[in-house]
Amino acid sequence: MKPVIFGMAGESLSAEERAFFREAEPAGYILFKRNCVGKAQLRALTDDLRALHGRDDLLIMIDQEGGRVARMQPPVWPAFPPMQRFDALYDVAPSSAMMAARWNARAIAQTLREVGITVDALPLLDVRQEGASDIMGDRTLGAEPMRVAALGRAVLEGLGEGGVVGIVKHMPGHGRAMVDSHHDLPTVAADAATLESDLEPFIRLKAAPMGMTAHIIYTAWDAERPASLSPVVIEQIIRQRIGFDGLLISDDLDMKALQGDIPSLAAGVVAAGCDLALNCWARMEDMAGIANVLPDIYEISRARLDRAMAGAGKAVDDMPLEEMLAQRDALLGVMA
């Protein structure tokens, strides 16, 4: 098994992708809007991936946050609110906000589970900072670390109750970035003492099954390398200071924050301490290059992967989706 997550080009596997994926045996896959047309189509695609590898617990992930980040869209699937809605409710009724976030996450999980998706890149534990890039904005759970941790825990628990594994992101914190890391490399110059508040939600949720790194330079820790490529940040801050021992996935290697060819970047993030490299855009040349340069998955990373995926696909009950959404909407109605 190679320590990488690959994307696919379309609604079903091409013959070239099928042959390559069978040979390369990536640790998992990521889906985008281009892959999500209808329920039957999407279930057939995820079933095909599982059959290809003979792994019922295959990591198949998606970014289904709600708001502007939603790969599965209406009218086939419900529109989910951005995370800031739960932050706003917390101002009025903290307990209701946590319950609403949990019901919302359970509902998201049900829509994913029924089409065979096992992992959602949610929740964001980035602490929102005034004046920072709007790439986080309404995707975040607030500007106060303890609130972010409380709502983030509710989201993780809701996903888990729905049989889907959550990913805490973006470690060790994206909230201070002044530019969008999809387009530029952010540099955060805050000192280590100031950055403690960014770490707090991740520390509180350090037992999360999966985490995702940030493509950001933090000068207090490593002035030369972004976190995803920094053994200092990954080992000393994410693994030791935060205490995270879950499966660590890099953010997308194709983001413009990183410079260099994609295979070298994949090798770099794994060498720095990420368990898995994330390559989203299904370019066969890049994927073949990654498969050629990466070692087989390390034993410790395989153990983290297996541990993280142990609960995937196991929902606590078969409550109808409509009932979950009604529970959420009744709580959000407190703000009306």
Side-chain angles (χ1 to χ4, degrees):
M1 180 187 292
K2 293 294 183 178
V4 63
I5 296 169
F6 284 138
M8 292 147 286
E11 300 167 20
S12 61
L13 292 179
S14 68
E16 184 181 26
E17 286 175 331
R18 185 182 302 279
F20 171 72
F21 291 149
R22 183 182 289 114
E23 175 71 19
E25 196 183 353
Y29 297 92
I30 185 168
L31 301 172
F32 283 85
K33 184 179 177 182
R34 64 181 182 264
N35 309 119
C36 305
V37 176
K39 292 182 181 180
Q41 166 269 325
L42 190 48
R43 183 74 209 206
L45 175 57
T46 59
D47 284 348
D48 199 10
L49 290 169
R50 269 183 287 274
L52 183 65
H53 298 290
R55 288 154 50 194
D56 289 338
D57 64 348
L58 182 65
L59 189 165
I60 304 176
M61 67 178 282
I62 197 167
D63 283 294
Q64 191 74 359
E65 298 177 7
R68 54 196 162 109
V69 180
R71 314 308 187 194
M72 297 160 57
Q73 297 188 337
V76 179
W77 293 281
F80 290 94
M83 291 294 108
Q84 193 173 34
R85 286 286 301 280
F86 306 102
D87 174 35
L89 178 56
Y90 198 100
D91 285 333
V92 179
S95 294
S96 294
M98 288 184 282
M99 290 174 62
R102 191 167 182 158
W103 280 116
N104 185 72
R106 275 191 67 178
I108 291 175
Q110 179 150 316
T111 65
L112 303 188
R113 193 181 76 255
E114 71 176 359
V115 294
I117 297 171
T118 50
V119 178
D120 194 10
L122 194 70
L124 281 73
L125 298 186
D126 307 299
V127 180
R128 188 170 62 247
Q129 301 289 335
E130 186 175 353
S133 168
D134 192 47
I135 187 57
M136 295 296 109
D138 65 357
R139 298 169 62 196
T140 67
L141 289 164
E144 195 282 314
M146 294 304 291
R147 177 183 302 201
V148 172
L151 290 170
R153 186 182 302 279
V155 172
L156 270 181
E157 290 174 349
L159 290 173
E161 289 167 357
V164 169
V165 181
I167 302 176
V168 294
K169 60 185 188 182
H170 303 81
M171 304 177 87
H174 206 301
R176 295 181 189 275
M178 304 304 290
V179 296
D180 180 355
S181 57
H182 291 86
H183 304 296
D184 297 286
L185 175 60
T187 297
V188 170
D191 61 27
T194 301
L195 290 170
E196 283 295 309
S197 64
D198 300 63
L199 299 182
E200 187 64 28
F202 294 105
I203 293 171
R204 295 283 175 174
L205 275 68
K206 65 183 180 181
M210 297 186 183
M212 179 178 288
T213 62
H215 296 331
I216 297 175
I217 288 178
Y218 305 86
T219 59
W221 299 321
D222 187 336
E224 302 298 325
R225 296 166 292 193
S228 302
L229 290 163
S230 171
V232 175
V233 174
I234 291 174
E235 179 58 29
Q236 296 183 16
I237 304 303
I238 295 176
R239 294 302 189 190
Q240 295 182 19
R241 177 69 188 94
I242 291 174
F244 177 73
D245 191 37
L247 185 79
L248 188 64
I249 304 169
S250 77
D251 208 342
D252 179 19
L253 299 176
D254 281 281
M255 292 165 63
K256 303 307 180 188
L258 303 183
Q259 298 297 315
D261 66 273
I262 300 301
S264 295
L265 290 173
V269 298
V270 171
C274 291
D275 293 302
L276 303 180
L278 177 61
N279 176 240
C280 296
W281 295 107
R283 291 188 287 263
M284 187 55 67
E285 182 180 0
D286 287 343
M287 293 193 294
I290 289 170
N292 284 335
V293 301
L294 283 183
D296 288 339
I297 192 169
Y298 296 130
E299 184 176 341
I300 189 171
S301 297
R302 180 59 191 264
R304 288 169 177 151
L305 172 63
D306 291 345
R307 187 170 68 237
M309 296 304 298
K314 302 171 185 175
V316 296
D317 57 41
D318 294 321
M319 180 182 291
L321 176 64
E322 294 75 16
E323 188 172 337
M324 298 181 198
L325 296 175
Q327 293 278 4
R328 178 203 66 191
D329 292 344
L331 293 161
L332 287 174
V334 172
M335 292 189 295

